Amino acid sequence: MSTYTDRDLQSREIITKAVCGKGRKFSQVNHTVVPPHAPTSILGAWIINNQYEAQKSGESIEVIGTYDINIWYSYDKNTKTDVAKETVSYVDIVPLSYLDKKHRGHTAEVSAQATQEPNCIEAIVSSSGDGVVIRVEREFRVELIAETKVRVIVSPHDLDELEDKHLDFDGGDDGDFEDLDPELLDEDN
């Protein structure tokens, strides 16, 4: 059995686009909606029309969006009902839990995904009695996609010829692997 060393192999650097940053943020926020009539009780509350976009901001991603809050409520001592509607703006700053500072250039693509759409988890009449306080939770996952370099091993030999051979890569390790982040191997991050 013949053994190939790192001298038999060459490497190439390939410039490609890759995920160079990731982050996730869960938020709970309160909004106060003041309907045209002082509410007696809350019959339902829901959120629709969530729209957002993302942009890079330093070492974080800003998710900027809006959604509509709809509150079905009774008033006039529970004798009448109405629906109050309000559009709310929000900005979530999502820190990047992983960021490869070696990505090339400043032109990066940013993507955001709502892993949990904004959802009303509680709606109560405010202590003043003239509004409704709703608690909303939402979660976003973001990615920063940029150019980066990948080093690959190129063999001068035919792949069929190498199939039954033992390759020895131990001789030329220059420590480049010490900078690898083990969390990158976990696809759920």
Side-chain angles (χ1 to χ4, degrees), residues 54-68:
Q55 63 187 27
K56 188 172 184 303
S57 175
E59 293 190 3
S60 300
I61 303 295
E62 283 186 349
V63 179
I64 304 162
T66 62
Y67 47 74
D68 296 333

Side-chain angles (χ1 to χ4, degrees), residues 31-103:
H31 299 290
T32 301
V33 176
V34 179
H37 312 283
T40 305
S41 62
I42 309 305
L43 305 173
W46 60 98
I47 296 175
I48 60 172
N49 298 328
N50 182 36
Q51 298 179 7
Y52 58 90
E53 59 184 37
Q55 63 187 27
K56 188 172 184 303
S57 175
E59 293 190 3
S60 300
I61 303 295
E62 283 186 349
V63 179
I64 304 162
T66 62
Y67 47 74
D68 296 333
I69 299 173
N70 292 285
I71 301 169
W72 182 31
Y73 67 100
S74 68
Y75 64 98
D76 201 15
K77 298 183 182 178
N78 288 326
T79 61
K80 299 175 184 172
T81 66
D82 198 0
V83 175
K85 300 176 186 177
E86 187 170 310
T87 301
V88 174
S89 300
Y90 64 90
V91 176
D92 279 343
I93 308 286
V94 183
L96 295 173
S97 57
Y98 162 71
L99 178 60
D100 179 2
K101 295 184 191 245
K102 295 180 182 177
H103 68 270

Side-chain angles (χ1 to χ4, degrees), residues 17 30 33 79 162:
K17 286 189 175 185
N30 289 333
V33 176
T79 61
L162 292 176

Side-chain angles (χ1 to χ4, degrees), residues 3 22 43 54 56 59 69 101 112 137-139 160 177:
T3 301
K22 291 182 175 189
L43 305 173
K56 188 172 184 303
E59 293 190 3
I69 299 173
K101 295 184 191 245
E137 60 184 17
R138 59 184 181 249
E139 183 176 39
D160 292 334
F177 298 108

